[in-house]
């Protein structure tokens, strides 16, 4: 247990001043005894009894709305499957973002095509026989996409999938956190650059311009087994091109970090921010943001638009399948934020940066959104927590 839940190293990180030893407002990474630490590791590192409690009590809940669960979920599944617009997705005339599913997005700017946290497998798991199984199949084969650069936020199985990595191989450049290069080489990928927090990779585009890709921090953790917890780094990405500014959050909880990123690199034209895998809050709040906190990240980044990711693809936590999208709509309304500013997308939907999304769930299915609000008004105790 001491190897798995490294309490001594957590104690060593409690003095957060050691992460801020320069004039940079963003924290630096630190590595002690082969494991990476963050200013938030006394919150993100769970004790064994909390993990045991979560494993033994976890149960995916259903939406408390007055329609048949299987019926509305089936209809929503159909809605969330958008047909790929090959002309739009392959265009280089202006920046655009496509949601493939979960944390996998396809972003084009200045003639360069980026793929984030690519996962095409049926399960987000080390095994093809057990683990979270897809609700929705990927809308396109990865072989049918031009991929110039892969941005990998961390090594959890719902973000780094070995089968997909082998399918992409060395035809793309992989930008990965410190410690991940050896894992990638075991998957046959050697066209790979490791990055530390605050490090910038300069990419020369086919147009002769430069895109600055910065590996920025995130409040999270990583592992691929019981015994390699945080032996690799984790983080987010800032992509700064002549055409647009894009932020990919990866996986994260909310903290003051995003105000610092927004102040240093913003404002952003578009951001991809997670809204799912937040329940139960007592266990998830220090590693995953909920929709209300995702909206705070959107504001802190000074993002003009944000697309919701990390929901509606795999059953990763206890909230209902549709809840993140409906809850995002509720907090948007409370905060007077438009659905053009922070929206959900259909799997395979492409949005021009600055354009209007077509498949925001609550906007298209106002009936479901109305039933969701009605259920909260009649029973406030079911408000997501």
């Amino acid at each position: 247990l001491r190897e798995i839940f490294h309490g001594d190293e957590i104690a060593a990180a409690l003095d957060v001043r050691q992460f801020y030893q320069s004039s940079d407002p963003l924290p630096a990474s630190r590595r002690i005894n082969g494991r990476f630490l963050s200013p938030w590791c006394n919150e993100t590192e769970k004790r064994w009894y909390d993990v045991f409690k979560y494993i033994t009590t976890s149960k995916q809940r259903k939406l408390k709305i007055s329609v048949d669960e299987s019926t509305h979920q089936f209809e929503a599944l159909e809605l969330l499957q958008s047909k790929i617009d090959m002309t739009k997705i392959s265009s280089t005339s202006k920046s655009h973002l496509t949601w493939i599913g979960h944390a996998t997005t396809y972003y084009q700017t200045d003639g360069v095509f980026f793929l984030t946290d690519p996962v095409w497998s049926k399960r987000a798991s080390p095994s093809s026989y057990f683990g979270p199984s897809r609700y929705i199949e990927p809308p396109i084969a990865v072989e049918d996409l031009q991929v110039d650069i892969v941005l990998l936020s961390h090594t959890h199985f719902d973000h780094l999938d070995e089968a997909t990595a082998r399918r992409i191989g060395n035809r793309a450049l992989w930008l990965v956190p410190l410690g991940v290069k050896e894992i990638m080489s075991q998957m046959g990928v050697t066209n790979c650059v490791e990055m530390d927090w605050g490090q910038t990779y300069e990419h020369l585009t086919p147009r002769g311009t430069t895109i600055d890709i910065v590996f920025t921090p995130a409040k999270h953790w990583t592992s691929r087994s019981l015994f390699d917890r945080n032996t690799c780094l984790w983080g987010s990405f800032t992509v700064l091109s002549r055409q647009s500014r894009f932020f990919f959050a990866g996986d994260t909880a909310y903290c003051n970090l995003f105000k610092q990123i927004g102040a240093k690199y913003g404002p952003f034209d578009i951001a991809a921010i997670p809204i799912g895998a937040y329940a139960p809050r007592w266990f998830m709040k220090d590693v995953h943001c909920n929709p209300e906190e995702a909206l705070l990240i959107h504001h802190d980044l000074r993002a003009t638009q944000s697309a919701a990711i990390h929901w509606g693809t795999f059953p990763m936590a206890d909230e209902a399948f549709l809840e993140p999208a409906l809850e995002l709509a509720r907090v948007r309304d409370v905060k007077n934020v438009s659905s053009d500013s922070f929206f959900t997308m259909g799997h395979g939907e492409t949005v021009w940066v600055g354009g209007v999304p077509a498949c925001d769930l609550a906007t298209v299915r106002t009936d479901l959104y109305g039933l969701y609000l009605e259920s909260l008004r009649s029973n406030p105790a079911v408000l997501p927590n």
Side-chain angles (χ1 to χ4, degrees):
L1 288 176
R2 186 175 183 179
E3 170 69 15
I4 301 171
F5 304 100
H6 41 102
D8 292 343
E9 292 164 300
I10 296 172
L14 291 179
D15 183 1
V16 299
R17 291 173 297 179
Q18 64 183 302
F19 296 95
Y20 300 91
Q21 295 182 350
S22 69
S23 58
D24 194 327
L26 296 176
S29 68
R30 286 184 62 83
R31 198 178 207 169
I32 297 177
N33 297 333
R35 299 186 193 267
F36 287 96
L37 304 175
S38 78
W40 316 282
C41 63
N42 59 330
E43 300 169 1
T44 57
E45 300 308 297
K46 303 299 183 183
R47 303 294 180 177
W48 69 266
Y49 43 81
D50 288 327
V51 176
F52 179 78
K53 177 184 175 182
Y54 172 68
I55 291 173
T56 56
T57 62
S58 177
K59 181 180 180 181
Q60 191 171 32
R61 62 194 181 208
K62 294 185 177 182
L63 287 171
K64 306 297 191 295
I65 60 178
S66 55
V67 294
D68 180 69
E69 180 82 9
S70 60
T71 299
H72 81 251
Q73 179 157 303
F74 177 75
E75 292 174 348
L77 281 171
E78 289 188 325
L79 171 67
L80 290 173
Q81 298 181 74
S82 297
K83 186 177 181 180
I84 287 281
D85 184 335
M86 292 305 297
T87 300
K88 196 173 184 180
I89 201 173
S90 59
S91 172
T92 59
S93 61
K94 54 184 177 180
S95 299
H96 53 79
L97 180 73
T98 303
W99 188 43
I100 303 298
H102 199 56
T104 307
T105 69
Y106 189 58
Y107 171 68
Q108 185 282 140
T109 187
D110 222 0
V112 179
F113 290 84
F114 294 83
L115 194 60
T116 66
D117 289 359
V119 177
W120 258 258
S121 289
K122 177 69 175 177
R123 296 185 183 273
S125 168
S127 170
S128 59
Y129 300 104
F130 60 84
S133 180
R134 281 184 178 274
Y135 294 120
I136 299 175
E137 292 300 310
I140 189 172
V142 69
E143 289 82 3
D144 292 336
L145 294 174
Q146 175 184 334
V147 183
D148 299 311
I149 297 176
V150 176
L151 305 178
L152 184 71
S153 66
H154 65 298
T155 62
H156 282 152
F157 286 96
D158 58 319
H159 296 258
L160 173 57
D161 173 50
E162 179 173 356
T164 304
R166 290 185 180 278
R167 288 168 67 180
I168 297 170
N170 291 314
R171 68 183 174 101
L173 170 67
W174 291 69
L175 299 183
V176 304
L178 290 179
V180 179
K181 198 169 185 177
E182 182 178 350
I183 295 174
M184 299 308 302
S185 68
Q186 294 170 2
M187 299 178 182
V189 176
T190 55
N191 188 16
C192 181
V193 174
E194 286 189 341
M195 298 184 71
D196 194 2
W197 288 350
Q199 186 175 348
T200 300
Y201 180 85
E202 295 184 358
H203 180 75
L204 184 64
T205 76
R207 299 171 178 174
T209 60
T210 298
I211 298 177
D212 288 339
I213 305 160
V214 188
F215 189 50
T216 38
K219 185 179 178 182
H220 202 57
W221 63 285
T222 196
S223 76
R224 289 181 73 81
S225 75
L226 289 175
F227 303 104
D228 68 343
R229 189 178 180 93
N230 295 343
T231 55
C232 301
L233 194 55
W234 60 91
S236 56
F237 283 93
T238 293
V239 180
L240 310 174
S241 77
R242 180 185 59 177
Q243 282 189 335
S244 60
R245 290 173 174 258
F246 170 57
F247 181 76
F248 173 63
D251 231 350
T252 188
Y254 178 72
C255 61
N256 193 54
L257 166 70
F258 301 101
K259 290 181 179 178
Q260 299 164 348
I261 292 175
K264 185 171 183 178
Y265 299 110
F268 291 93
D269 297 289
I270 194 163
I273 301 175
I275 65 166
Y278 54 79
R281 292 308 287 155
W282 69 264
F283 188 77
M284 293 294 188
K285 66 181 177 66
D286 293 318
V287 292
H288 291 146
C289 59
N290 63 17
E292 183 174 7
E293 293 164 332
L295 192 59
L296 290 175
I297 294 174
H298 165 77
H299 285 306
D300 288 354
L301 292 171
R302 300 188 292 151
T304 302
Q305 290 185 301
S306 290
I309 61 170
H310 207 269
W311 78 282
T313 311
F314 297 103
M316 299 302 299
D318 287 5
E319 74 269 6
F321 168 67
L322 300 179
E323 184 180 293
L326 299 175
E327 180 61 11
L328 175 64
R330 186 189 71 83
V331 297
R332 276 191 324 225
D333 288 349
V334 170
K335 301 295 184 181
N336 197 28
V337 175
S338 76
S339 59
D340 292 347
S341 296
F342 198 159
F343 47 84
T344 63
M345 301 170 68
H347 292 72
E349 180 183 0
T350 300
V351 174
W352 299 113
V353 172
V356 178
C359 294
D360 178 74
L361 179 65
T363 302
V364 177
R365 287 298 305 270
T366 55
D367 58 331
L368 284 181
Y369 181 46
L371 289 167
Y372 178 71
L373 295 179
E374 180 184 328
S375 72
L376 296 182
R377 284 192 293 266
S378 62
N379 185 8
V382 304
L383 191 70
N385 55 53

